Amino acid sequence: MPVITTQILADGSKIGFWKMTESVDDLLQNIQLNKIENCELSEFNLDKRKKEYLCTLLLSQHLIGDRIYILRDEHGKPFLKNRKENISISHSSELLAVMISPQNIVPGIDVEYISERVEKIKHKFLSTAELEFISEKNRSKHLLICWCAKEAILKIYGKKDLDFKENIKITPFHSDCKKINASIDLKKSITHFNLDTCIIDNYIVVYGRQTEK
């Protein structure tokens, strides 16, 4: 299996990264799909989407050490059938990331290929205060870390009713910082998150969890 790297965090969570360069046929040689999975796979017209689907199953299975089945709730949040672990999934271009966490931890992970395209949408997901701490030297990287952080938090939250600009707040941080803090502000309640960042090849990766109460 072409897993780039795997790591185990202090809280017992596992993260795996996979460079998806195989063909769909090659991937199918490594897993026996059930009827539902075959049906889901057939709904994808593009080979890229089929590879993402198959690699997600294979990488998750690799991290857990057992055959797994991925379902989604009414909000589209993935979960593992008949298992206590929690899962978060992200892919960008050729890179796939899967994070598996113990029962009491809800993980969130996001990966994005480093490019300058994020500059065009920065005002849609960052507040005026957040834009003020973005560095000029590593601007695209800094913006993408913020984007990935908010995406990771959305995955932890698990619902679609968050406004990136209004509800998710990022504490100012330097573009080279490996750990950042953020929160969901819903006026009536504030939830805090600890996030880690790294670079895999030419991809920004942000992952984390809600802080302890």
Side-chain angles (χ1 to χ4, degrees), residues 34-37 57 60 64 66-73 77-87 100:
N34 64 22
K35 183 180 294 186
I36 294 176
E37 291 168 332
L57 289 174
S60 302
I64 291 178
D66 195 7
R67 180 68 164 93
I68 56 89
Y69 300 91
I70 300 175
L71 305 176
R72 293 183 180 270
D73 66 16
K77 183 179 177 65
F79 66 94
L80 301 173
K81 181 181 180 181
N82 297 328
R83 297 196 68 95
K84 295 181 179 179
E85 298 96 336
N86 294 303
I87 186 171
I100 304 287

Side-chain angles (χ1 to χ4, degrees), residues 5 7 17 19 21 23 45 53 83 91 97 145 147 150 156 180 182-183 186 191 194 204:
T5 182
Q7 53 184 294
F17 300 98
K19 200 69 170 292
T21 56
S23 69
N45 295 319
Y53 181 84
R83 297 196 68 95
H91 38 70
I145 292 174
W147 171 260
K150 296 199 175 191
I156 298 170
I180 59 179
S183 63
L186 297 177
T191 307
N194 291 331
I204 295 291

Side-chain angles (χ1 to χ4, degrees), residues 15-197:
I15 301 177
F17 300 98
W18 183 324
K19 200 69 170 292
M20 301 178 290
T21 56
E22 304 84 359
S23 69
V24 172
D25 288 340
D26 285 342
L27 292 169
L28 284 169
Q29 298 301 313
N30 292 287
I31 190 168
Q32 183 67 42
L33 301 180
N34 64 22
K35 183 180 294 186
I36 294 176
E37 291 168 332
N38 269 312
C39 182
E40 290 176 339
L41 183 67
S42 67
E43 292 177 354
F44 301 122
N45 295 319
L46 299 177
D47 277 359
K48 180 179 185 296
R49 295 290 288 116
K50 292 181 179 181
K51 289 197 290 184
E52 290 169 354
Y53 181 84
L54 293 169
C55 287
T56 297
L57 289 174
L58 288 165
L59 182 53
S60 302
Q61 179 175 296
H62 175 75
L63 291 172
I64 291 178
D66 195 7
R67 180 68 164 93
I68 56 89
Y69 300 91
I70 300 175
L71 305 176
R72 293 183 180 270
D73 66 16
E74 66 271 25
H75 303 289
K77 183 179 177 65
F79 66 94
L80 301 173
K81 181 181 180 181
N82 297 328
R83 297 196 68 95
K84 295 181 179 179
E85 298 96 336
N86 294 303
I87 186 171
S88 184
I89 304 161
S90 183
H91 38 70
S92 176
S93 187
E94 292 184 334
L95 186 67
L96 165 71
V98 172
M99 186 172 181
I100 304 287
S101 294
Q103 181 180 11
N104 62 327
I105 299 170
V106 181
I109 190 166
D110 195 66
V111 299
E112 291 291 341
Y113 185 77
I114 299 175
S115 74
E116 297 181 357
R117 290 182 298 174
V118 68
E119 182 73 34
K120 298 179 181 179
I121 62 170
K122 61 182 184 296
H123 292 290
K124 294 183 178 180
F125 69 92
L126 291 178
S127 66
T128 300
E130 289 168 333
L131 285 169
E132 288 178 352
F133 69 73
I134 299 299
S135 65
E136 290 301 324
K137 183 179 180 181
N138 297 308
R139 189 168 180 82
S140 293
K141 174 187 172 184
H142 210 172
L143 288 169
L144 278 170
I145 292 174
C146 291
W147 171 260
C148 288
K150 296 199 175 191
E151 281 283 347
I153 288 172
L154 179 64
K155 292 175 182 180
I156 298 170
Y157 180 69
K159 300 176 183 178
K160 302 294 186 181
D161 58 346
L162 284 182
D163 185 292
F164 271 24
K165 190 172 181 177
E166 298 297 327
N167 299 135
I168 306 179
K169 310 294 185 181
I170 298 177
T171 302
F173 67 96
H174 191 273
S175 61
D176 292 326
C177 188
K178 301 299 182 183
K179 293 183 178 294
I180 59 179
N181 298 310
S183 63
I184 292 177
D185 186 348
L186 297 177
K187 304 306 179 183
K188 294 182 179 180
S189 64
I190 298 178
T191 307
H192 298 279
F193 300 85
N194 291 331
L195 303 167
D196 291 88
T197 76

